[in-house]
Each structure stands twice: as C-alpha cells, then as structure tokens.
Amino acid sequence: MSAIAAPTLEETSNLSSHAPLAFLYEHPQWFNPIFTELEKRGFPFSKVYIPDSFYDIGADVPFRVLFNRMSPSAKSRGNESGMFHTLAYLDHLDLLGVRVINGAKAFRYEVSKAAQHSLLRSLGIRYLHSRIIHTPQQALAASEGLRFPIIVKANIGGSGKGIVRFNTKAELEEGIRTGAIDLGYDNVALVQEFVPARGGYITRVETLGGKYLYAIHVYLNGETFDLCPADICQTARGEALNNACVLEAAKSGLKVEGYTPPTEVIAKIERIVQAAGIDVGGIEYIVDDRDGEIYYYDVNALSNFVADAPRVIGFNPVENLADFLIEEVKRAV
C-alpha cells in the first residue's frame, strides 16, 4: 500500500479552533466529502487529527459536539495507538456530559467483533456462530464441531484485515505451526465457519440517527475479505465510478448496486444500531447459501458511504449527514 500523507497543521485547524462541531479522525482522506459539504454551507467545524493529538483533563472543551471518526483499521497505517487514546478521550468527554456522535459505547462495539456478536445474540438476532480465542493454538479446539472451511478473524480488524481462511483441519494445524494466524493487537480472535454467500454478495445497510438510510449489495470476488464500500470502483453493471474512491487501491473486480431490504430486516438493523449507541454506522449481513438464512455479522460505527452514491443509490448521503450534524449542534446549545 502506498503511503498516505498526513494533513498539515493548517488542515487540522480548519475554519475555527472554537467551532461548535469537531471531527476526531485518523484517516487523512476518507472524510473530505463531509468536510467539503460543511464548508460549502459555511458551517464552522474543527478537525482533531488523532496521530498528532493529545488532551488535557483539566482543560475546557472547545466544542459542543464531537463526531468520532476513528477507524479500527488504523494499524494498517501505523496509527494503532490512537485506538486506545480515543477510548480514553471518549470516556473523558462522556464524564463531562459532552455530546459525542458515535461515543464510547458505540466505539467499544466498533473495536470488538466478539462484543458485536454478543450484542446480536442478546437481541435475539441471528449471528454467525463464533468461538473466541486468545492464542493461535486454541483455534484447533475452537474449530471442533464447525464445518470447514473456517475463518479466523482478528477481533480488531477493519476493512477485512486479519482474516485467514482454512479449508481443512490439516491446513489449520499447519497455519498454527507456521504462525499464519495473527490475532491482532488485542490478541483476541473469532473462529467461525466460512459462509458461502447466496447470490455472490453481502449486504451493507447504512443508518443515520439510528434509522435506515440506504443499502447496497457488494458482490464478492474470490477470497477477498476487504469490503469497504467507499473503495469499490465499479457498479454491478461494470461501470467505472470515476473519481469516487478514496485513495487506497481499488478492490479489483468488486461491484456494488443499490438495494432496499425487506421491512423486517430494516427493523432489525435499526434495533442493532440503537442498542449499540451508534448514531452513524452500517450493518453487514449475508444470506448463507447452505440454508438460505440471513446472518448478521458486522456492526460498524464508521461509515464512509458508497462511492459515487447519486448514481448507485439515487442520492448523496453526505448531504443527509451534514443536515444531521448541524441539527445535533443546535440541540447541544
């Protein structure tokens, strides 16, 4: 992956250091669309770039609303320390009574796939059966009773990072012996059956303010697990989404199309995000080709929105997000 330039000091102090809205973020490019939209509207905001930030427990908070945009994929950019710094800061703001969009509760679900599955079970919503391990050697015992192929998935990943597939028990034994299993930086992972996707796609549903916003089908390609929809550069008909992707490499062969899920699915999605305290986020689910059942498997408190949204889903969700953020600031007066 090519290096991604960090924002300059001028960029991270955008518009006003005492603006009512602040963005806490780590990826230098992902959030440019919402920054541009707010600038177009003349709405003041500031940027807090996590790799360069620290906070003073005794200082006054210079904003009314903070929008947490920290990504669990920060490790791939060398910024993993910001994950735990963010958790501490969100707890600090929570104790001060500051309005945080995607606050500490939401972020804890964002950075723990194990906790996500426990949440789904608590809500009575069908989830992928998972065994939680904390050493690679436990993967063998944890796979007992599961149908191969299986996957071992890092608890903190992001954009498909830290997922390894094993087609047989022998492959798993070899993977353990050779160190092929990376448990990630909290040393926790999930062991699950690999689910064949009916129709060759997964479904990503985006929500805003705890309510359904839109959904897309993401068509899979081979063994890829990296499904960030903002990085997908083709529609289902093969049309290029020009100038729409973030700066990471396009996911070769992945295609996407707009979709409206059944009413009962939307209701479950809204229950999940509301229970998780997620103000802006997405839920992914898959239809298991073996039994035709829907399984919910990924709870995301970070949504970049699909590339070239007006063409794919018929509207620009960044405008909806800007409306939501401005209203949240008004309520926080």
Tab-separated table of all heavy atoms in Angstrom, residues 69-103:
chain	number	residue	atom	x	y	z
A	69	ARG	N	-14.661	9.700	14.412
A	69	ARG	CA	-14.439	9.031	13.138
A	69	ARG	C	-13.195	8.143	13.178
A	69	ARG	O	-12.607	7.858	12.137
A	69	ARG	CB	-14.277	10.061	12.012
A	69	ARG	CG	-15.452	10.984	11.799
A	69	ARG	CD	-16.515	10.350	10.910
A	69	ARG	NE	-17.250	9.297	11.579
A	69	ARG	CZ	-18.037	8.432	10.970
A	69	ARG	NH1	-18.175	8.457	9.668
A	69	ARG	NH2	-18.691	7.512	11.653
A	70	MET	N	-12.792	7.693	14.354
A	70	MET	CA	-11.627	6.825	14.465
A	70	MET	C	-11.905	5.476	13.809
A	70	MET	O	-13.004	4.936	13.919
A	70	MET	CB	-11.259	6.622	15.934
A	70	MET	CG	-10.053	5.739	16.162
A	70	MET	SD	-8.558	6.420	15.402
A	70	MET	CE	-7.374	5.128	15.768
A	71	SER	N	-10.893	4.936	13.128
A	71	SER	CA	-11.061	3.676	12.397
A	71	SER	C	-10.285	2.537	13.047
A	71	SER	O	-9.120	2.705	13.413
A	71	SER	CB	-10.569	3.846	10.953
A	71	SER	OG	-10.534	2.591	10.299
A	72	PRO	N	-10.891	1.341	13.157
A	72	PRO	CA	-10.158	0.182	13.665
A	72	PRO	C	-9.106	-0.332	12.697
A	72	PRO	O	-8.303	-1.184	13.059
A	72	PRO	CB	-11.256	-0.862	13.892
A	72	PRO	CG	-12.344	-0.467	12.967
A	72	PRO	CD	-12.304	1.032	12.900
A	73	SER	N	-9.090	0.172	11.466
A	73	SER	CA	-8.046	-0.223	10.518
A	73	SER	C	-6.800	0.645	10.654
A	73	SER	O	-5.895	0.577	9.820
A	73	SER	CB	-8.565	-0.147	9.079
A	73	SER	OG	-8.859	1.196	8.708
A	74	ALA	N	-6.720	1.447	11.724
A	74	ALA	CA	-5.593	2.376	11.911
A	74	ALA	C	-4.244	1.665	11.930
A	74	ALA	O	-3.226	2.237	11.539
A	74	ALA	CB	-5.782	3.166	13.201
A	75	LYS	N	-4.236	0.412	12.370
A	75	LYS	CA	-2.970	-0.323	12.446
A	75	LYS	C	-2.311	-0.426	11.075
A	75	LYS	O	-1.076	-0.372	10.962
A	75	LYS	CB	-3.192	-1.722	13.019
A	75	LYS	CG	-1.908	-2.503	13.210
A	75	LYS	CD	-2.153	-3.873	13.814
A	75	LYS	CE	-0.847	-4.632	14.026
A	75	LYS	NZ	-1.056	-5.979	14.587
A	76	SER	N	-3.114	-0.534	10.025
A	76	SER	CA	-2.549	-0.666	8.681
A	76	SER	C	-1.866	0.619	8.231
A	76	SER	O	-1.129	0.616	7.248
A	76	SER	CB	-3.647	-1.050	7.681
A	76	SER	OG	-4.598	-0.010	7.559
A	77	ARG	N	-2.089	1.714	8.965
A	77	ARG	CA	-1.437	2.987	8.664
A	77	ARG	C	-0.468	3.400	9.768
A	77	ARG	O	-0.032	4.548	9.831
A	77	ARG	CB	-2.503	4.069	8.443
A	77	ARG	CG	-3.352	3.813	7.211
A	77	ARG	CD	-4.456	4.838	7.049
A	77	ARG	NE	-5.505	4.694	8.064
A	77	ARG	CZ	-6.506	3.814	8.002
A	77	ARG	NH1	-6.589	2.984	6.977
A	77	ARG	NH2	-7.412	3.749	8.945
A	78	GLY	N	-0.181	2.463	10.681
A	78	GLY	CA	0.780	2.721	11.742
A	78	GLY	C	0.249	3.591	12.862
A	78	GLY	O	1.029	4.139	13.653
A	79	ASN	N	-1.082	3.684	12.994
A	79	ASN	CA	-1.678	4.579	13.984
A	79	ASN	C	-2.486	3.838	15.039
A	79	ASN	O	-3.427	4.386	15.621
A	79	ASN	CB	-2.577	5.608	13.285
A	79	ASN	CG	-1.799	6.529	12.375
A	79	ASN	OD1	-0.665	6.887	12.671
A	79	ASN	ND2	-2.405	6.914	11.252
A	80	GLU	N	-2.120	2.588	15.330
A	80	GLU	CA	-2.937	1.788	16.242
A	80	GLU	C	-2.991	2.344	17.661
A	80	GLU	O	-3.963	2.124	18.391
A	80	GLU	CB	-2.459	0.339	16.270
A	80	GLU	CG	-1.029	0.132	16.731
A	80	GLU	CD	-0.044	0.101	15.574
A	80	GLU	OE1	-0.301	0.768	14.546
A	80	GLU	OE2	0.980	-0.585	15.710
A	81	SER	N	-1.978	3.087	18.094
A	81	SER	CA	-2.010	3.640	19.454
A	81	SER	C	-3.177	4.604	19.635
A	81	SER	O	-3.691	4.782	20.742
A	81	SER	CB	-0.699	4.353	19.765
A	81	SER	OG	-0.500	5.462	18.892
A	82	GLY	N	-3.608	5.214	18.528
A	82	GLY	CA	-4.731	6.138	18.609
A	82	GLY	C	-6.037	5.472	18.999
A	82	GLY	O	-6.963	6.144	19.466
A	83	MET	N	-6.123	4.148	18.811
A	83	MET	CA	-7.338	3.419	19.171
A	83	MET	C	-7.634	3.551	20.661
A	83	MET	O	-8.746	3.912	21.075
A	83	MET	CB	-7.147	1.945	18.809
A	83	MET	CG	-8.369	1.101	18.976
A	83	MET	SD	-9.484	1.296	17.594
A	83	MET	CE	-8.402	0.843	16.251
A	84	PHE	N	-6.639	3.288	21.466
A	84	PHE	CA	-6.842	3.290	22.913
A	84	PHE	C	-6.852	4.709	23.470
A	84	PHE	O	-7.523	4.997	24.461
A	84	PHE	CB	-5.779	2.412	23.563
A	84	PHE	CG	-5.779	1.027	22.980
A	84	PHE	CD1	-4.802	0.636	22.060
A	84	PHE	CD2	-6.785	0.119	23.278
A	84	PHE	CE1	-4.828	-0.618	21.485
A	84	PHE	CE2	-6.814	-1.136	22.708
A	84	PHE	CZ	-5.832	-1.512	21.805
A	85	HIS	N	-6.116	5.601	22.819
A	85	HIS	CA	-6.193	7.017	23.163
A	85	HIS	C	-7.615	7.527	22.937
A	85	HIS	O	-8.169	8.270	23.769
A	85	HIS	CB	-5.201	7.809	22.311
A	85	HIS	CG	-5.198	9.279	22.585
A	85	HIS	ND1	-6.021	10.163	21.912
A	85	HIS	CD2	-4.498	10.026	23.468
A	85	HIS	CE1	-5.811	11.391	22.364
A	85	HIS	NE2	-4.892	11.333	23.300
A	86	THR	N	-8.225	7.122	21.825
A	86	THR	CA	-9.591	7.530	21.528
A	86	THR	C	-10.565	7.034	22.578
A	86	THR	O	-11.450	7.776	23.032
A	86	THR	CB	-10.003	7.025	20.133
A	86	THR	OG1	-9.185	7.646	19.149
A	86	THR	CG2	-11.465	7.323	19.841
A	87	LEU	N	-10.422	5.776	22.999
A	87	LEU	CA	-11.308	5.237	24.035
A	87	LEU	C	-11.215	6.054	25.317
A	87	LEU	O	-12.236	6.380	25.936
A	87	LEU	CB	-10.955	3.773	24.318
A	87	LEU	CG	-11.481	2.746	23.323
A	87	LEU	CD1	-10.875	1.378	23.602
A	87	LEU	CD2	-13.010	2.664	23.392
A	88	ALA	N	-9.997	6.402	25.707
A	88	ALA	CA	-9.814	7.197	26.921
A	88	ALA	C	-10.464	8.572	26.769
A	88	ALA	O	-11.123	9.073	27.694
A	88	ALA	CB	-8.331	7.339	27.239
A	89	TYR	N	-10.277	9.186	25.612
A	89	TYR	CA	-10.817	10.527	25.381
A	89	TYR	C	-12.346	10.509	25.349
A	89	TYR	O	-13.008	11.395	25.909
A	89	TYR	CB	-10.259	11.080	24.074
A	89	TYR	CG	-10.601	12.530	23.820
A	89	TYR	CD1	-10.528	13.478	24.836
A	89	TYR	CD2	-10.988	12.952	22.556
A	89	TYR	CE1	-10.837	14.816	24.596
A	89	TYR	CE2	-11.291	14.287	22.305
A	89	TYR	CZ	-11.216	15.206	23.332
A	89	TYR	OH	-11.512	16.522	23.098
A	90	LEU	N	-12.926	9.510	24.722
A	90	LEU	CA	-14.383	9.420	24.659
A	90	LEU	C	-14.971	9.216	26.050
A	90	LEU	O	-16.024	9.785	26.385
A	90	LEU	CB	-14.812	8.297	23.723
A	90	LEU	CG	-14.421	8.447	22.245
A	90	LEU	CD1	-14.948	7.270	21.442
A	90	LEU	CD2	-14.908	9.758	21.668
A	91	ASP	N	-14.324	8.404	26.870
A	91	ASP	CA	-14.770	8.244	28.259
A	91	ASP	C	-14.681	9.575	29.008
A	91	ASP	O	-15.571	9.914	29.804
A	91	ASP	CB	-13.918	7.191	28.972
A	91	ASP	CG	-14.308	5.772	28.614
A	91	ASP	OD1	-15.482	5.553	28.243
A	91	ASP	OD2	-13.445	4.880	28.700
A	92	HIS	N	-13.607	10.317	28.783
A	92	HIS	CA	-13.421	11.624	29.412
A	92	HIS	C	-14.568	12.567	29.044
A	92	HIS	O	-15.175	13.213	29.920
A	92	HIS	CB	-12.081	12.211	28.959
A	92	HIS	CG	-11.844	13.628	29.358
A	92	HIS	ND1	-11.646	14.016	30.672
A	92	HIS	CD2	-11.796	14.774	28.612
A	92	HIS	CE1	-11.466	15.333	30.725
A	92	HIS	NE2	-11.556	15.808	29.495
A	93	LEU	N	-14.899	12.634	27.748
A	93	LEU	CA	-15.971	13.521	27.302
A	93	LEU	C	-17.325	13.072	27.825
A	93	LEU	O	-18.185	13.901	28.176
A	93	LEU	CB	-15.988	13.587	25.775
A	93	LEU	CG	-14.767	14.224	25.112
A	93	LEU	CD1	-14.900	14.157	23.592
A	93	LEU	CD2	-14.577	15.663	25.565
A	94	ASP	N	-17.517	11.757	27.920
A	94	ASP	CA	-18.767	11.219	28.446
A	94	ASP	C	-18.965	11.667	29.899
A	94	ASP	O	-20.071	12.057	30.302
A	94	ASP	CB	-18.753	9.696	28.344
A	94	ASP	CG	-20.099	9.078	28.671
A	94	ASP	OD1	-21.134	9.600	28.202
A	94	ASP	OD2	-20.142	8.086	29.410
A	95	LEU	N	-17.907	11.631	30.684
A	95	LEU	CA	-17.991	12.062	32.082
A	95	LEU	C	-18.277	13.552	32.201
A	95	LEU	O	-18.868	14.007	33.191
A	95	LEU	CB	-16.692	11.712	32.812
A	95	LEU	CG	-16.451	10.217	33.047
A	95	LEU	CD1	-15.019	9.978	33.518
A	95	LEU	CD2	-17.443	9.668	34.062
A	96	LEU	N	-17.870	14.322	31.209
A	96	LEU	CA	-18.133	15.767	31.214
A	96	LEU	C	-19.515	16.108	30.655
A	96	LEU	O	-19.926	17.267	30.678
A	96	LEU	CB	-17.063	16.487	30.384
A	96	LEU	CG	-15.631	16.447	30.924
A	96	LEU	CD1	-14.689	17.181	29.982
A	96	LEU	CD2	-15.556	17.053	32.326
A	97	GLY	N	-20.209	15.108	30.133
A	97	GLY	CA	-21.532	15.343	29.576
A	97	GLY	C	-21.526	15.958	28.192
A	97	GLY	O	-22.532	16.534	27.759
A	98	VAL	N	-20.416	15.836	27.471
A	98	VAL	CA	-20.310	16.385	26.120
A	98	VAL	C	-21.011	15.455	25.128
A	98	VAL	O	-20.882	14.233	25.207
A	98	VAL	CB	-18.827	16.573	25.725
A	98	VAL	CG1	-18.708	17.043	24.276
A	98	VAL	CG2	-18.143	17.556	26.668
A	99	ARG	N	-21.741	16.029	24.200
A	99	ARG	CA	-22.395	15.227	23.166
A	99	ARG	C	-21.349	14.705	22.193
A	99	ARG	O	-20.639	15.469	21.531
A	99	ARG	CB	-23.422	16.082	22.409
A	99	ARG	CG	-23.995	15.419	21.143
A	99	ARG	CD	-24.821	14.189	21.449
A	99	ARG	NE	-25.548	13.716	20.272
A	99	ARG	CZ	-25.452	12.492	19.778
A	99	ARG	NH1	-24.655	11.601	20.349
A	99	ARG	NH2	-26.169	12.139	18.731
A	100	VAL	N	-21.247	13.380	22.128
A	100	VAL	CA	-20.336	12.736	21.191
A	100	VAL	C	-21.153	11.861	20.259
A	100	VAL	O	-21.902	10.990	20.706
A	100	VAL	CB	-19.271	11.893	21.907
A	100	VAL	CG1	-18.361	11.212	20.891
A	100	VAL	CG2	-18.449	12.746	22.868
A	101	ILE	N	-21.033	12.102	18.977
A	101	ILE	CA	-21.676	11.256	17.976
A	101	ILE	C	-20.786	10.035	17.774
A	101	ILE	O	-19.600	10.164	17.489
A	101	ILE	CB	-21.871	12.028	16.660
A	101	ILE	CG1	-22.813	13.217	16.896
A	101	ILE	CG2	-22.417	11.114	15.567
A	101	ILE	CD1	-22.890	14.165	15.729
A	102	ASN	N	-21.371	8.845	17.945
A	102	ASN	CA	-20.608	7.594	17.977
A	102	ASN	C	-19.609	7.637	19.132
A	102	ASN	O	-18.399	7.592	18.933
A	102	ASN	CB	-19.902	7.323	16.647
A	102	ASN	CG	-20.860	6.891	15.563
A	102	ASN	OD1	-22.059	6.760	15.794
A	102	ASN	ND2	-20.339	6.682	14.370
A	103	GLY	N	-20.161	7.726	20.330
A	103	GLY	CA	-19.357	7.873	21.533
A	103	GLY	C	-18.729	6.588	22.021
A	103	GLY	O	-18.572	5.617	21.270
